[in-house]
Amino acid sequence: MKNAVLLLFILSLLTACGGNTEKKQETAVTTTDSAVAATPKPKNCQSVVDADKLGKADVYQESGKSIKVSLTLDQDTSSTQVGSNCYFNNTITVLATKKSGSQLFKRTLLKDDLLYFTKSDDAIKQSILKKVIYKPTFNGQRYITLTMHLLEPVSKKTMDFTLFMNYFGEIVKVK
């Protein structure tokens, strides 16, 4: 009798869980399909970064810190319309590893991440991420300092923002 009750209980749990999973998967597929259909593909966009610099990792190691930082600049799928021209946005992937080789964190940064920390939203929205440079701190502080160089494609003006990231990949402060 106990076996029959236990079997009935397990079957009811499996049936209840199975129904929810199917509904969630159907909703996810519908949401994904509508998001893909809503974003038009950019035509004839230009890049502000040379093609040979994209996808290559710059590796930095400080003697005072037990981590190695790798920065990889890639072309984003989004674009920015400036006047009559279209420019591809770029992303930077920050990979921090310990000396032992284990991963500390991996984070992809966009120029839009700066919008949460600055007051000049329009200038950032009209610019393109050109490059990111690691700045050594020469001390045992537990943060990573990066400088993001943004380029306004029409006027060729550059803006530099210094990011301070903790060892969890979170942006702590922007100057």
Side-chain angles (χ1 to χ4, degrees), residues 3 48 63 79 102 112 115 119 124 137 146 175:
N3 290 340
V48 295
S63 59
S79 63
S102 64
D112 296 337
L115 297 176
K119 296 178 183 177
I124 293 172
T137 56
L146 303 173
K175 284 187 185 179

Side-chain angles (χ1 to χ4, degrees), residues 132-167:
V132 177
I133 298 173
Y134 177 82
K135 291 180 70 174
T137 56
F138 301 111
N139 57 22
Q141 301 261 338
R142 296 188 58 84
Y143 61 86
I144 296 169
T145 308
L146 303 173
T147 301
M148 293 179 81
H149 297 284
L150 300 178
L151 173 72
E152 204 287 309
V154 175
S155 65
K156 302 295 185 202
K157 290 182 182 178
T158 60
M159 295 178 286
D160 293 340
F161 294 93
T162 302
L163 284 89
F164 297 91
M165 296 177 69
N166 62 17
Y167 282 3

Side-chain angles (χ1 to χ4, degrees), residues 52-68:
D52 60 341
K53 293 183 181 180
L54 295 173
K56 293 185 180 176
D58 294 328
V59 180
Y60 301 94
Q61 172 71 51
E62 284 186 52
S63 59
K65 291 188 177 184
S66 62
I67 64 167
K68 180 171 43 172

Side-chain angles (χ1 to χ4, degrees), residues 3 30 36 50 69 76 80 123 143 146:
N3 290 340
T30 305
V36 171
D50 295 333
V69 178
D76 195 14
T80 300
Y143 61 86
L146 303 173

